[in-house]
């Protein structure tokens, strides 16, 4: 996936939100959470518009990599950038916290989800 994204400028193909989101999701599903987060970081630093799909994939990748703190950081960044979390977002963040044994954080997220924030 990274090789394809790297070749896009040479082939005059524009990388966009969908391309990045698909690649981040592919890395996440393949268990390569560190690559997913690396690509997400590249996306956030580029001119490509971010979306909930990319955030959800990155937060899910954190859960796979036992990176609950990073998952919560991305959740906060998402809120700061006014990207509204959905059930997938909350589920991924809750899962990351559960895997990390962070029950208080898990309960906070559940309360937040119940309030709709």
């Amino acid at each position: 996936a990274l090789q394809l994204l790297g070749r896009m400028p040479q082939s005059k193909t524009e990388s966009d939100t969908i391309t990045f989101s698909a690649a981040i999701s592919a890395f996440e599903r393949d268990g390569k959470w560190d690559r997913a987060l690396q690509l997400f970081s590249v996306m956030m630093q580029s001119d490509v518009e971010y979306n909930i799909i990319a955030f959800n994939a990155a937060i899910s990748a954190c859960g796979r990599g036992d990176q609950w703190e990073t998952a919560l950081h991305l959740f906060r960044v998402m809120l700061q950038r006014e990207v509204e979390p959905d059930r997938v977002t909350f589920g991924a963040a809750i899962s990351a916290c559960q895997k990390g044994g962070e029950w208080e954080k898990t309960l906070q997220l559940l309360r937040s989800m119940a309030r709709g924030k």
Side-chain angles (χ1 to χ4, degrees):
L2 281 177
Q3 289 175 351
L4 287 174
L5 281 171
R7 286 188 215 142
M8 288 181 100
Q10 297 164 351
S11 66
K12 299 194 185 335
T13 306
E14 189 176 320
S15 19
D16 61 7
T17 305
I18 295 169
T19 308
F20 270 100
S21 296
I24 293 165
S25 294
F27 280 130
E28 182 269 326
R29 282 190 306 273
D30 198 29
K32 296 181 177 162
W33 62 270
D34 53 338
R35 291 272 179 109
L37 294 178
Q38 177 185 16
L39 189 55
F40 183 77
S41 178
V42 168
M43 179 184 181
M44 295 298 286
Q45 294 171 9
S46 72
D47 292 336
V48 175
E49 189 175 323
Y50 46 84
N51 65 8
I52 192 167
I53 296 167
F55 271 104
N56 287 348
I59 292 170
S60 291
C62 291
R64 285 189 183 256
D66 295 325
Q67 303 294 312
W68 66 269
E69 291 170 312
T70 305
L72 290 181
H73 171 73
L74 291 176
F75 188 88
R76 285 189 295 273
V77 168
M78 188 176 171
L79 294 175
Q80 289 168 354
R81 296 191 178 198
E82 298 180 356
V83 177
E84 193 69 33
D86 62 8
R87 290 180 182 184
V88 174
T89 314
F90 278 103
I94 287 167
S95 177
C97 289
Q98 284 176 329
K99 288 179 183 176
E102 295 294 321
W103 298 106
E104 287 182 27
K105 303 287 185 196
T106 300
L107 291 174
Q108 287 174 357
L109 285 166
L110 286 168
R111 283 191 288 273
S112 213
M113 188 169 87
R115 287 192 310 265
K117 291 185 177 186

